[in-house]
């Protein structure tokens, strides 16, 4: 019997608590460690860079050893760098702990995506995938919100204790809920791995999907990293709990991503991507307004567009790949989180150099380019 879709939502939530939790803490961390916008962005960029580097290797590991075991042990090991971050005396030490978190997070993401493709029957696969993405969206919100909330009362160190507990919960849930694999075939031949890698790198639609992934997460991280800094400054002066609450716009993704499943099935990922890009561009331009309510509406529209684009890209990966799925998923996540790592630094420089308008110019350009790449690269996969 395949796992219930809610299990994938729960595991997605728990692992993604780790990814962006410090984002609402960036103003506090910048003050604590006397860092500017580009330097403090590395707290996020260190994790996403490690995720990008580790994802293909984790894909190979999961193809060789099995998806279930990789997910379980990744959750168990994630508790270690979370605890180390609690006691980090310098920004460099904190970034090192965050990098270690990033090395382990793909063990859940990459292997779980492949497990869905293999162990969930075709009729339920789209629902399982969208529930997983919904869980990652919820985890993205809860990480930022809860970290900001606990930091107001107990300091930023408490946020990392929270991540350690969440990872431990993920370990027990995965161990109890993920069944033994029935359709997994180990791939331990090095030559076979290289052949599969070569085949993936010659797949134009997969490469286009990787480029789309890079650009859409570049947009989201560039937006949110600098948003916290903007709202902590004049004339808003929001604290970490208040900026964490702004990330409630992420909850819209809990609604958007389940809707995306039927849309993808009926119209294909290309139409979904173009719809997502249009919504994001309108929202991002709206953030140029000064009133806080308009900024929140704009951020919500921009984020929802990215969530829908992510569902479209994941659907495109599954549609284009029939072998070595973990490796293909790893390549996609390498590009996806590479975009986040690049945005963590470049958006900080844009903010320091030209303020919020420069950030908007950067992220609207990135999102528009994602639409162009998808329009051209997914042309042959526009219909199911």
């Amino acid at each position: 019997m395949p796992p219930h879709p809610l299990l994938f939502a729960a595991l997605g939530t728990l692992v993604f608590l780790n990814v962006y939790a410090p984002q609402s803490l960036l103003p506090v961390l910048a003050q604590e460690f006397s860092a500017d916008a580009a330097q403090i962005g590395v707290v996020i960029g260190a994790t996403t860079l490690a995720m990008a580097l580790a994802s293909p290797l984790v894909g190979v590991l999961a193809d060789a050893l099995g998806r279930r075991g990789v997910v379980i042990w990744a959750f168990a090991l994630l508790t270690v760098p979370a605890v180390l971050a609690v006691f980090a005396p310098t920004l460099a030490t904190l970034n090192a702990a965050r990098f270690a978190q990033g090395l382990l997070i793909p063990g859940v993401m990459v292997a779980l995506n492949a497990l869905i493709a293999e162990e969930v029957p075709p009729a339920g696969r789209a629902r399982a995938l969208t529930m997983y993405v919904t869980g990652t969206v919820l985890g993205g919100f809860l990480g930022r919100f809860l970290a900001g909330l606990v930091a107001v009362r107990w300091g930023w160190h408490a946020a990392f204790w929270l991540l350690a507990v969440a990872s431990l919960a993920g370990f027990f849930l995965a161990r109890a809920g993920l069944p033994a694999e029935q359709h997994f075939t180990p791939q331990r031949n090095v030559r076979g791995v290289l052949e599969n890698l070569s085949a993936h790198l010659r797949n134009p639609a997969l490469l286009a999907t990787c480029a789309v992934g890079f650009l859409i997460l570049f947009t989201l991280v560039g937006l949110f990293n600098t948003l916290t800094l903007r709202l902590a400054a004049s004339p808003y002066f929001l604290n970490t709990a208040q900026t964490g609450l702004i990330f409630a716009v992420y909850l819209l993704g809990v609604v958007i991503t389940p809707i995306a499943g039927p849309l993808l099935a009926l119209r294909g990922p290309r139409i979904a991507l173009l719809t997502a890009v249009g919504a994001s561009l309108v929202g991002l331009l709206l953030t140029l307004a000064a009133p806080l309510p308009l900024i929140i509406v704009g951020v919500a529209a921009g984020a929802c567009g990215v969530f829908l684009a992510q569902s479209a890209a994941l659907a495109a990966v599954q549609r284009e790949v029939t072998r070595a799925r973990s490796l293909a998923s790893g390549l996609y996540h390498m590009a996806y989180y590479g975009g986040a790592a690049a945005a963590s630094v470049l958006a900080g420089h844009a903010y320091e150099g030209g303020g919020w308008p420069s950030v908007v110019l950067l992220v609207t350009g990135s999102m528009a380019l994602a639409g162009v790449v998808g329009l051209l690269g997914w042309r042959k996969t526009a219909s199911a």
Side-chain angles (χ1 to χ4, degrees):
M1 183 176 179
H4 194 281
L6 286 177
L7 174 65
F8 298 117
L11 294 177
T13 299
L14 290 169
V15 73
F16 265 77
L17 286 172
N18 292 274
V19 181
Y20 299 116
Q23 212 163 42
S24 60
L25 309 178
L26 291 182
V28 171
L29 295 173
Q31 184 176 12
E32 169 113 356
F33 296 112
S34 302
D36 62 26
Q39 291 171 327
I40 206 61
V42 177
V43 173
I44 304 299
T47 301
T48 54
L49 176 61
M51 291 167 68
L53 296 175
S55 289
L57 299 177
V58 171
V60 173
L61 186 67
D63 281 337
L65 301 180
R67 291 68 159 99
R68 182 179 182 274
V70 170
V71 170
I72 290 171
W73 284 106
F75 267 123
L77 293 173
L78 268 169
T79 60
V80 177
V83 173
L84 293 177
V86 173
F87 301 102
T90 65
L91 182 58
T93 309
L94 177 61
N95 287 339
R98 291 284 293 158
F99 188 84
Q101 284 181 307
L103 293 176
L104 294 166
I105 291 169
V108 177
M109 297 187 318
V110 174
L112 206 55
N113 271 278
L115 189 147
I116 290 171
E118 290 180 347
E119 302 300 328
V120 177
R125 200 169 293 158
R127 176 168 172 74
L129 180 62
T130 53
M131 288 300 292
Y132 165 72
V133 175
T134 299
T136 66
V137 171
L138 182 60
F141 160 68
L142 287 176
R144 295 165 166 104
F145 172 67
L146 294 176
L149 194 64
V150 301
V152 167
R153 184 165 184 179
W154 295 293
W156 64 266
H157 305 81
F160 290 97
W161 281 121
L162 177 67
L163 298 185
V165 172
S167 296
L168 194 60
F171 165 75
F172 287 115
L173 184 60
R175 188 176 180 184
L178 291 177
E181 295 162 281
Q182 303 295 321
H183 305 288
F184 170 68
T185 302
Q187 299 180 26
R188 298 171 182 170
N189 185 297
V190 175
R191 182 177 178 180
V193 170
L194 295 176
E195 289 175 351
N196 288 328
L197 176 61
S198 177
H200 289 333
L201 294 178
R202 293 195 309 270
N203 185 333
L206 179 59
L207 295 179
T209 303
C210 290
V212 168
F214 180 97
L215 292 165
I216 60 176
L217 197 59
F218 184 101
T219 300
L220 191 67
V221 172
L223 174 69
F224 280 129
N225 267 18
T226 48
L227 179 69
T228 56
L229 299 174
R230 180 190 183 190
L231 296 182
S234 176
Y236 308 105
F237 298 112
L238 301 187
N239 62 31
T240 58
Q242 291 167 329
T243 55
L245 191 59
I246 296 294
F247 292 114
V249 299
Y250 252 68
L251 295 179
L252 291 172
V254 177
V255 177
I256 292 296
T257 47
I259 294 173
L263 175 62
L264 295 175
L266 289 173
R267 305 299 300 275
R270 188 164 170 252
I271 298 299
L273 177 65
L274 294 179
T275 303
V277 169
S280 279
L281 291 179
V282 171
L284 293 171
L285 292 174
L286 192 58
T287 65
L288 291 169
L292 185 59
L294 287 180
I295 294 174
I296 294 172
V297 171
V299 169
C304 285
V306 171
F307 302 148
L308 180 55
Q310 166 71 335
S311 292
L314 288 174
V317 170
Q318 289 198 350
R319 178 176 296 188
E320 286 302 312
V321 176
T322 57
R323 63 176 184 174
R325 286 190 175 94
S326 289
L327 179 56
S329 179
L331 291 172
Y332 171 75
H333 284 96
M334 178 179 70
Y336 186 67
Y337 289 102
S344 295
V345 177
L346 295 179
H349 284 301
Y351 184 76
E352 291 288 339
W356 188 252
S358 292
V359 174
V360 172
L361 179 63
L362 182 68
V363 295
T364 53
S366 175
M367 199 66 185
L369 184 57
V372 173
V373 172
L375 184 66
L376 298 176
W378 294 349
R379 181 172 300 172
K380 294 181 180 180
T381 63
S383 59

